[in-house]
Amino acid sequence: MCKTERSVEVDADFYCENEKCLKYFCRTCINSHRQHGRWFYKKYPYGKDKIRKWPLSKKMETSLLICIIHKGEKLTMFCPDHNHLCCSKCVELNHRRCLQVTLLPQAARGKSRDFKNLSVSTENTLSQMKQCQTYQEDRMKSLKVSYKEHERLIVDGLRVNIVSYLRECETSTVNTTHEHMQYTVIDMREKIKYLLAAFEKSTIKEKKEELNLKQAPLKVVKNSCIRLHYELFHLHVAIPKVLGKPELSFIASKKCLENIQQSDIFIKENFSNHVFTVNGKSVHNVKMPSDSDTCMIEAVCALPNGQVLVADRENKNVKLLNQQYRVVSHLDVRDKPLDMCLITPTEIAVAVHDEVQFITVSQSQLAKGRKLKLQHYCPGIAHNQGDLYICSDTALYKFTLSGKLVCRLYEDSSADFIVYKCAVSPTGDRLYITSYNKHKLLTLARDGTLLATYTDPALRYTTALHVTPAGQVLVCGYWSHTVLQVDWEGESKLANLATEEDGVRLPQSVCYSSTTSSIIVGQYRNNNILVFRVE
């Protein structure tokens, strides 16, 4: 709390560590805080970007000691049977029959916590919460864009009706005297007013209400993400500051674990397994006059600005498409491009036979960057948090971005194309592999441990694979002409998103664009890509 604004509770934005100060300040008060001269600008104070350097505030210490269920009651005990922190009311109402309820000082005594692993788990959950929030915001923006586009079409239709009516009036009044005019100026004015009034009442208002209804549940989820992230972040920041206080350290770690569990349940219910609903399709030709062969779109990569990159295997090039899916730039590569992944908003890694070619996008132009030479064939590539995951047909390897081999995560040499394409969950705790010849989707833990194997008749020759920023898993069956959505655990199908009836024929690649809320599908020896609008 800001120390200057004593009359109201104002969140602090800065903390001054100078020994003469040691105070918190809001953004307004800090403007008059100049007594430290040059140190004010060079060292002090610490803003929220350096909140880890702030000491544990009295308010945070007090909040740690307060019971979450019975506000105002202080935590005094711990129940090992339920793994719960308890106040006196908790014990009286819910833990009277528990045999091992102990006082907090006793429960905290001699307890050593693995704070390093707790910190990693917390950061993963915070990252997921932020991604969940961003995903809801993107969906809200997409709905608004759809509404605006629909409104524009309605306005265009209204304009056509008015112009048509005026032409009808003009035609009927040519060469007629004023007394015998079929349409007077007053009649025309009233007719146009009627058209505008009907348009506003029955259409615009109705569509706005529909938009608000669709956005309402997304706002609820977004606000819950913000709240959960705020609570967990402040616990995460507090834990290192209480390591020397056993009782507070015990409480903070327990509350942090509870918040992680609560957040994980929330994410699973509202984020990773949100099932897409297809509500429209368009077809776009990506063949260029200079292409010597029919296109084979082996990989698709959506950029944050709405542009899309497609890797054309047969014509040995990478093409940049604008927001209308028209080719605006292209770049020839040494050999057939087999897969792509996003490194930064403007840098892409392309798997080209036995090397990785980095490509940058600037002002709608493509340019080659550095290369990584590999010792094996590379049909699949994915990136997450500075790590590259590369398939070799029979194994999955982990590399650094500089090209250093970290480890081999998984191997199956029983046949070719067993480790074909790969993808990573947004937090990096799940790895997914398509096993082309075995018609399977494999799910691995971060260390390469096999967690799940999914088979389905709709995954006959499993090819393309993609994980959205929200953690939804999309996978394609080549010979079954199907795009599926699978749950994030990789254990069951959530939906058939598109089939041969929807125009899917031998799908080679799939990608989701959160900017346009679209699933983009590339196909075998086909000049067209399919774009499915989804909610």
Side-chain angles (χ1 to χ4, degrees):
M1 183 167 60
C2 175
K3 294 294 183 183
T4 308
E5 291 285 346
R6 296 181 184 276
S7 59
V8 291
E9 185 173 309
V10 179
D11 279 348
D13 292 290
F14 299 91
Y15 173 75
C16 183
E17 197 185 36
N18 187 283
E19 59 185 12
K20 296 179 181 179
C21 190
L22 301 177
K23 290 180 181 176
Y24 298 95
F25 295 88
C26 69
R27 196 163 294 279
T28 302
C29 296
I30 201 69
N31 292 330
S32 59
H33 185 56
R34 294 286 187 271
Q35 63 263 44
H36 304 312
R38 66 190 180 90
W39 288 106
F40 176 82
Y41 298 99
K42 293 191 175 181
K43 187 175 181 182
Y44 308 114
Y46 296 127
K48 282 191 173 179
D49 58 327
K50 296 180 180 177
I51 198 169
R52 295 176 192 275
K53 293 182 180 290
W54 295 18
L56 184 71
S57 67
K58 285 291 181 184
K59 185 178 178 183
M60 187 62 196
E61 185 173 338
T62 301
S63 71
L64 282 174
L65 293 168
I66 295 301
C67 178
I68 296 172
I69 301 170
H70 304 103
K71 304 296 183 183
E73 294 292 323
K74 188 176 178 181
L75 295 169
T76 55
M77 300 182 186
F78 176 70
C79 176
D81 293 342
H82 294 91
N83 198 28
H84 277 182
L85 297 163
C86 310
C87 67
S88 57
K89 285 188 177 179
C90 289
V91 174
E92 183 181 347
L93 295 172
N94 302 313
H95 302 275
R96 293 173 68 180
R97 296 185 180 181
C98 299
L99 300 176
Q100 301 183 53
V101 176
T102 55
L103 294 171
L104 272 176
Q106 183 183 344
R109 193 178 302 134
K111 298 286 185 182
S112 60
R113 307 297 304 174
D114 188 351
F115 288 107
K116 185 176 180 181
N117 283 340
L118 179 61
S119 178
V120 170
S121 297
T122 306
E123 286 173 358
N124 281 340
T125 303
L126 287 170
S127 174
Q128 283 183 301
M129 294 307 303
K130 205 66 182 176
Q131 288 165 355
C132 184
Q133 178 188 336
T134 303
Y135 177 65
Q136 305 307 323
E137 290 170 347
D138 287 344
R139 290 180 67 197
M140 289 167 67
K141 286 178 187 174
S142 177
L143 283 171
K144 195 168 185 179
V145 168
S146 297
Y147 165 76
K148 290 291 184 185
E149 177 65 17
H150 191 79
E151 184 182 38
R152 184 187 66 78
L153 292 173
I154 293 171
V155 170
D156 287 347
L158 177 68
R159 187 179 291 114
V160 168
N161 288 340
I162 291 174
V163 169
S164 176
Y165 173 69
L166 290 173
R167 283 177 180 166
E168 183 185 341
C169 295
E170 184 180 51
T171 303
S172 66
T173 55
V174 171
N175 299 323
T176 61
T177 62
H178 179 73
E179 293 83 2
H180 296 93
M181 281 175 62
Q182 185 178 347
Y183 296 95
T184 65
V185 173
I186 295 173
D187 291 335
M188 286 188 280
R189 187 182 294 121
E190 288 301 316
K191 177 68 174 178
I192 292 171
K193 280 173 64 179
Y194 169 78
L195 286 171
L196 291 172
F199 166 72
E200 185 177 2
K201 285 180 182 177
S202 65
T203 309
I204 295 296
K205 187 178 179 182
E206 180 183 314
K207 286 298 173 185
K208 280 186 178 178
E209 289 174 354
E210 184 182 325
L211 175 67
N212 290 335
L213 283 172
K214 286 185 176 181
Q215 285 188 329
L218 303 180
K219 286 180 182 177
V220 171
V221 176
K222 184 194 82 169
N223 291 337
S224 296
C225 288
I226 293 170
R227 177 182 58 80
L228 290 167
H229 186 280
Y230 178 87
E231 292 171 358
L232 185 57
F233 175 75
H234 281 83
L235 284 168
H236 184 47
V237 170
I239 284 176
K241 307 179 195 304
V242 297
L243 292 182
K245 303 175 181 180
E247 190 175 333
L248 279 177
S249 177
F250 182 76
I251 292 172
S253 62
K254 287 294 180 186
K255 282 193 171 184
C256 194
L257 285 169
E258 286 178 8
N259 275 42
I260 289 173
Q261 187 178 24
Q262 182 184 0
S263 298
D264 286 346
I265 292 170
F266 176 84
I267 287 167
K268 288 174 185 176
E269 290 177 348
N270 297 281
F271 191 34
S272 303
N273 286 342
H274 166 75
V275 182
F276 285 122
T277 302
V278 177
N279 61 10
K281 185 192 85 171
S282 56
V283 181
H284 303 273
N285 190 305
V286 295
K287 184 175 174 64
M288 301 185 302
S290 58
D291 288 339
S292 59
D293 206 340
T294 304
C295 298
M296 187 192 294
I297 305 306
E298 187 75 11
V300 182
C301 192
L303 302 181
N305 63 2
Q307 293 180 318
V308 174
L309 283 163
V310 295
D312 187 343
R313 176 172 176 161
E314 290 304 294
N315 292 296
K316 297 182 183 179
N317 59 37
V318 176
K319 301 169 183 176
L320 178 65
L321 314 181
N322 62 15
Q323 289 87 343
Q324 290 73 45
Y325 304 102
R326 289 194 287 269
V327 180
V328 292
S329 179
H330 79 281
L331 195 65
D332 294 330
V333 290
R334 179 182 67 86
D335 208 326
K336 295 178 178 181
L338 303 174
D339 205 0
M340 292 190 296
C341 64
L342 202 62
I343 306 297
T344 71
T346 57
E347 186 180 29
I348 300 91
V350 184
V352 183
H353 193 68
D354 59 353
E355 69 180 24
V356 177
Q357 171 71 65
F358 290 88
I359 292 176
T360 56
V361 183
S362 178
Q363 296 180 341
S364 295
Q365 293 297 314
L366 303 179
K368 288 182 181 179
R370 61 195 177 92
K371 290 181 182 179
L372 298 180
K373 186 68 178 175
L374 303 172
Q375 300 301 312
H376 54 76
Y377 182 60
C378 174
I381 187 169
H383 169 259
N384 182 265
Q385 299 175 10
D387 294 318
L388 280 176
Y389 298 88
I390 297 178
C391 300
S392 71
D393 265 357
T394 58
L396 177 67
Y397 297 95
K398 181 178 177 180
F399 287 82
T400 65
L401 279 175
S402 61
K404 180 182 177 183
L405 175 63
V406 178
C407 62
R408 182 175 58 201
L409 289 165
Y410 180 81
E411 186 172 23
D412 183 349
S413 303
S414 60
D416 291 334
F417 303 114
I418 298 297
V419 184
Y420 188 54
K421 302 289 184 182
C422 62
V424 194
S425 66
T427 53
D429 61 338
R430 288 284 194 282
L431 306 171
Y432 303 93
I433 296 171
T434 58
S435 187
Y436 179 80
N437 277 339
K438 290 195 173 180
H439 323 289
K440 294 177 180 177
L441 173 69
L442 307 179
T443 303
L444 312 179
R446 193 192 304 266
D447 62 359
T449 304
L450 182 63
L451 298 176
T453 301
Y454 178 69
T455 58
D456 191 295
L459 288 182
R460 191 178 169 206
Y461 292 101
T462 316
T463 50
L465 175 66
H466 178 73
V467 178
T468 75
Q472 292 125 316
V473 182
L474 308 178
V475 61
C476 295
Y478 181 73
W479 279 112
S480 47
H481 318 296
T482 307
V483 180
L484 282 73
Q485 182 178 344
V486 178
D487 66 350
W488 70 275
E489 295 96 337
E491 295 176 348
S492 61
K493 178 169 65 179
L494 297 178
N496 281 338
L497 298 175
T499 64
E500 192 170 9
E501 292 180 359
D502 304 303
V504 176
R505 181 72 180 166
L506 304 175
Q508 289 281 116
S509 52
V510 65
C511 180
Y512 172 74
S513 170
S514 54
T515 309
T516 59
S517 288
S518 300
I519 292 173
I520 306 159
V521 180
Q523 302 172 101
Y524 175 80
R525 298 195 66 80
N526 194 317
N527 294 328
N528 297 323
I529 58 170
L530 304 176
V531 179
F532 296 94
R533 289 278 298 173
V534 295
E535 288 184 359

